[in-house]
Amino acid sequence: MRPDVSVNLDDAAAQTDLWARVRRGFRMFDLEGELVRDKEQWYASRPDYVNRMTTRGSRYLFHIVEELESRNMPTELALLPFIESAFNPQAMSSAKASGMWQFMPATGRDFALKQNIFRDDRRDVLASTRAALDYLRRLYGMFGDWHLALAAYNWGEGNVQRAIARNEKAGLPTDYLSLKMPEETRSYVPKLQAVKNIVSKPESFALALPALANHPYFLGVPIQRDIDVDLAARLAGMSLDDFQTLNPQMNKPVILAAGTPQVLLPYDNASAFVRKLSEHRAPLATWTAWVAPTTMRPADAARQVGMSESRLREVNLIPPRMLVKAGSTLLVPRNEQRHTDVAGHVADNATMLLAPDVPPLRRVVLKAGKADSVASIARRYRVGAAQVAQWNDVGTGARFKPGATIVVYEAKRKAASTRVAAAGKAKKPVSMAAAAGRKAVTRIAQKKASTTVPAATRKSVRLAAK
C-alpha cells in the first residue's frame, strides 16, 4: 500500500490469475434451487452488464481478497459488492444506503464511517471494506451461519432474529430457506450464489471474465497538506473521473489532509504523483473551511468571505430561502486571512445546519364562531390545515365548538396594527357608536341604533390579539 515499496509485477505470484485465488477461498456451502437458477439466467443473458461489473470490480478485488484472507473469512464475500452496488463505490440507493458495500447512515456510524460535509467514508474504498468485513464477521458470530449472516446484512439482525424466533416457536427449521422474509432478502443469497457459480465456471454460462493479475491495482499515497481534488488528479496524470473511482469519498472539491491522510492511486500514477507533488511550488489548495459565527443569510455570509452569493450557495448546496445557522461549516476560497490547512476537529466533525428564512411569528388567539373549522381557519390565515391542527392539537378535519379558543401564528408586521381577534371574521377596529344596531362577534358592543354614547367615550375600542 506504500508507493516507496516496489511491487514486482513480473513475479510469478503477481501473474497468478486472481480469479483462481478467489475460487480457492470459497468455503460457504452451496445454495440450490429455482431462485438460484433464475438469477444465473438473469446474469447469463446480460454479458455486457457482467463485463462492466467485473471490469469495475477488478480495481478493488485484490484488496478485498487480501483483507478476507487476513481475517480467515470465505472469499465468496469478495463477490458481495457485485450484488450490493455492481462494484460502484459512488452508488446511492433510494433508502440512502451508500458506497460499494451500501451502508445505511446509522450503520456506517456504528462502524466508525465518518459522514460530514467534507467526506462520506461509506464511499471510502478502504474504510468501507474494513467496516463491511467487521460487520459481516460480527453477524456470523451472532448466527453461526453465513447465509443467515448475509440475510442480516441485507435485512437487519433484529429482523432475522425475530424470524428465527417465530420459526422456533412454530417448530419449524431456522435455516435461510425456511425463514419468512421480504422478497429482496429472499433473493439476496441466491444472487450471490449465482455470481459464485459464474465465477467458478464462466464457460458454463457462455461468459468470459476479464483477466485479473494477482497484485495490487492501487497504492496508498500519504498527503500532508490540503489539496484540491482536480490538482491531485492532474499531478497523478489521471482524469478526474478515474481519480474519483479510487477516491470517491470526497464531498467537496478539496481533500483535507487532517481527515483524509492518503489518496489511492494506480501503481504507475502513484510514483508520478509523489515526484510531481515534491516539485509543485504553487498553492495546493484554493479552498478552506469557515465556521459561521452567527445565524445569517447566505448573502451576508458571502460578503464576509469574499465570494458571490450564487457561488457560495452552489458549492455548499444551500437551497433558496434558508438561513445558515451559527456553527455551520462552509467551504470558502482561501485568502491572506484564511490560508492555513483545516484543523482535524473541523475536518472530522463539520456540519451544515440550515433554518427556514421566514419572518418572526406572533401568536394570535381567536374565539371560534359557529362554523369555524381547521380548514376555514387555514384558508383565512393562508396556512396549511396541518399547521392549524398542530397548533391546536386536533385533527386536520376537526371543527371547533363555538366559543372555543383557537391559536394561530402569523408573521409579525413591521408596523403592528391592532385587530379584533374574534370568531368568524377579524374585523377592523370600530367605535361603539358605529357598532350600534348590529351584533358584534364578541357581543361587547351590542346596542340599539338610538343609543346615545357620551362624547368622552366616543372613540375606537380595540380588542388586541393576544
Side-chain angles (χ1 to χ4, degrees):
M1 290 295 296
R2 303 202 317 271
D4 56 328
V5 176
S6 63
V7 175
N8 184 0
L9 302 183
D10 296 321
D11 181 81
Q15 292 301 312
T16 302
D17 181 20
L18 182 58
W19 291 117
R21 184 179 174 188
V22 171
R23 293 178 193 117
R24 284 197 303 271
F26 286 164
R27 296 210 307 270
M28 293 185 195
F29 67 86
D30 287 335
L31 195 68
E32 303 288 345
E34 191 59 37
L35 271 177
V36 176
R37 304 286 87 79
D38 180 66
K39 302 308 176 186
E40 288 174 345
Q41 180 58 38
W42 192 93
Y43 288 116
S45 64
R46 294 166 174 80
D48 291 344
Y49 174 78
V50 172
N51 184 65
R52 286 195 307 273
M53 185 170 65
T54 51
T55 299
R56 193 159 52 219
S58 66
R59 303 181 181 102
Y60 316 109
L61 267 171
F62 178 87
H63 172 71
I64 297 172
V65 171
E66 288 270 295
E67 290 296 304
L68 286 168
E69 289 181 347
S70 71
R71 297 161 182 254
N72 195 31
M73 296 170 72
T75 54
E76 285 98 334
L77 299 176
L79 309 178
L80 194 59
F82 285 124
I83 312 306
E84 286 288 347
S85 63
F87 265 108
N88 178 4
Q90 300 190 64
M92 173 74 81
S93 77
S94 58
K96 304 303 180 185
S98 183
M100 186 163 62
W101 296 92
Q102 288 289 282
F103 272 96
M104 294 293 287
T107 311
R109 286 189 290 271
D110 288 344
F111 287 88
L113 296 178
K114 288 282 186 180
Q115 300 157 59
N116 59 42
I117 66 168
F118 289 109
R119 74 182 199 271
D120 187 339
D121 284 348
R122 294 179 299 162
R123 299 196 302 266
D124 184 291
V125 173
L126 303 187
S128 67
T129 298
R130 183 267 310 158
L133 301 192
D134 285 351
Y135 188 21
L136 285 163
R137 184 164 58 182
R138 190 182 83 178
L139 292 171
Y140 180 73
M142 292 175 64
F143 297 103
D145 179 290
W146 279 114
H147 290 168
L148 293 178
L150 288 164
Y153 188 87
N154 175 258
W155 190 25
E157 58 261 45
N159 289 321
V160 174
Q161 287 171 329
R162 284 187 287 273
I164 290 172
R166 282 194 297 269
N167 276 29
E168 286 177 340
K169 186 176 180 179
L172 299 173
T174 58
D175 59 288
Y176 175 84
L177 291 176
S178 299
L179 298 182
K180 184 178 180 181
M181 55 184 69
E183 184 59 34
E184 179 186 326
T185 309
R186 167 70 56 211
S187 300
Y188 191 67
V189 175
K191 284 182 182 178
L192 183 64
Q193 182 69 54
V195 172
K196 174 184 176 179
N197 294 345
I198 289 169
V199 169
S200 297
K201 293 183 178 180
E203 65 278 1
S204 298
F205 302 92
L207 294 171
L209 302 179
L212 289 185
N214 187 36
H215 61 73
Y217 180 86
F218 55 77
L219 299 174
V221 182
I223 56 171
Q224 281 81 40
R225 300 292 308 277
D226 295 355
I227 182 171
D228 287 350
V229 173
D230 59 353
L231 175 59
R234 289 201 307 274
L235 293 178
M238 302 171 69
S239 70
L240 187 59
D241 284 346
D242 286 344
F243 181 85
Q244 289 176 327
T245 61
L246 293 178
N247 303 278
Q249 68 271 30
M250 263 65 75
N251 290 330
K252 301 297 182 185
V254 63
I255 304 169
L256 305 184
T260 307
Q262 68 175 353
V263 293
L264 303 184
L265 301 171
Y267 183 74
D268 291 338
N269 301 84
S271 301
F273 178 86
V274 171
R275 176 175 52 81
K276 291 181 180 179
L277 183 63
S278 66
E279 298 170 352
H280 191 79
R281 296 293 175 263
L284 294 174
T286 58
W287 297 97
T288 189
W290 178 78
V291 179
T294 61
T295 297
M296 59 180 64
R297 290 187 168 88
D300 298 327
R303 278 192 293 272
Q304 287 201 31
V305 301
M307 64 191 299
S308 70
E309 180 185 354
S310 61
R311 184 62 173 146
L312 179 84
R313 286 183 178 277
E314 177 187 7
V315 77
N316 291 285
L317 304 177
I318 303 173
R321 297 182 295 280
M322 298 299 284
L323 298 173
V324 177
K325 297 188 73 173
S328 292
T329 302
L330 302 181
L331 188 69
V332 302
R334 290 195 177 204
N335 59 22
E336 292 181 359
Q337 291 75 41
R338 298 185 302 271
H339 57 81
T340 58
D341 287 347
V342 176
H345 71 278
V346 176
D348 279 342
N349 302 298
T351 57
M352 167 72 78
L353 302 172
L354 301 174
D357 187 2
V358 296
L361 300 177
R362 68 167 183 162
R363 185 171 183 263
V364 179
V365 178
L366 313 173
K367 293 297 181 183
K370 291 181 179 179
D372 278 329
S373 64
V374 168
S376 68
I377 296 296
R379 285 193 299 272
R380 190 177 311 150
Y381 283 86
R382 294 177 181 169
V383 296
Q387 285 182 294
V388 175
Q390 183 182 21
W391 292 334
N392 293 276
D393 195 23
V394 296
T396 53
R399 302 184 67 83
F400 296 106
K401 293 181 179 179
T405 298
I406 306 172
V407 175
V408 296
Y409 289 86
E410 64 177 4
K412 287 183 179 178
R413 299 175 182 176
K414 292 182 179 179
S417 61
T418 55
R419 58 186 295 167
V420 175
K425 297 179 180 179
K427 296 180 178 292
K428 295 180 180 179
V430 294
S431 69
M432 292 181 70
R438 65 178 186 266
K439 295 180 180 179
V441 176
T442 58
R443 298 187 181 277
I444 292 174
Q446 186 179 25
K447 290 180 178 285
K448 294 183 179 181
S450 61
T451 301
T452 302
V453 180
T457 62
R458 200 173 295 150
K459 57 183 180 180
S460 298
V461 177
R462 307 178 188 278
L463 300 177
K466 294 181 183 178

